[in-house]
Amino acid sequence: MTVATHWPRLAFEGAGTTDKFIHFVGFGLLAWLFLNAAFFRRPVLNFALGAFWVYFDEATQAIEILGRTFSGYDMVAGWLGCAVAGLVWEGLRRRAP
């Protein structure tokens, strides 16, 4: 995900909504992986790592040489993806015997 979001001057046709959807899905999947990888013993810390990564990823896109920019909307889309992944993960965890 980070490689794709930092690729110099990468652009999508009709970027707006498509770009936000890609951030939503991509960071949602990343959060899902962090939750299942269990880097830390407490799931909330794994979730926080995913949410922090959204911020870190977006903030570092502002490095001028990459030709990319920081977008608060992209960050919100990424956080929403993390939130949905976290809710689904928690729902499935509670249903498991």
Side-chain angles (χ1 to χ4, degrees):
M1 184 68 191
T2 300
V3 170
T5 59
H6 285 75
W7 198 265
R9 296 168 185 76
L10 179 67
F12 296 104
E13 296 276 335
T17 305
T18 303
D19 180 53
K20 304 309 172 257
F21 181 72
I22 291 169
H23 277 78
F24 176 83
V25 171
F27 284 110
L29 289 172
L30 185 65
W32 182 267
L33 290 172
F34 282 168
L35 285 163
N36 285 293
F39 297 115
F40 304 107
R41 292 180 188 210
R42 299 178 59 203
V44 71
L45 294 177
N46 293 306
F47 178 78
L49 177 61
F52 170 76
W53 198 262
V54 173
Y55 169 77
F56 175 78
D57 187 86
E58 197 60 42
T60 57
Q61 285 184 50
I63 298 170
E64 191 171 331
I65 195 168
L66 297 176
R68 308 292 303 259
T69 58
F70 174 87
S71 169
Y73 293 116
D74 286 352
M75 192 164 51
V76 169
W79 280 337
L80 288 172
C82 286
V84 169
L87 289 171
V88 171
W89 183 86
E90 181 63 20
L92 292 173
R93 187 183 70 83
R94 288 182 183 222
R95 289 184 65 196

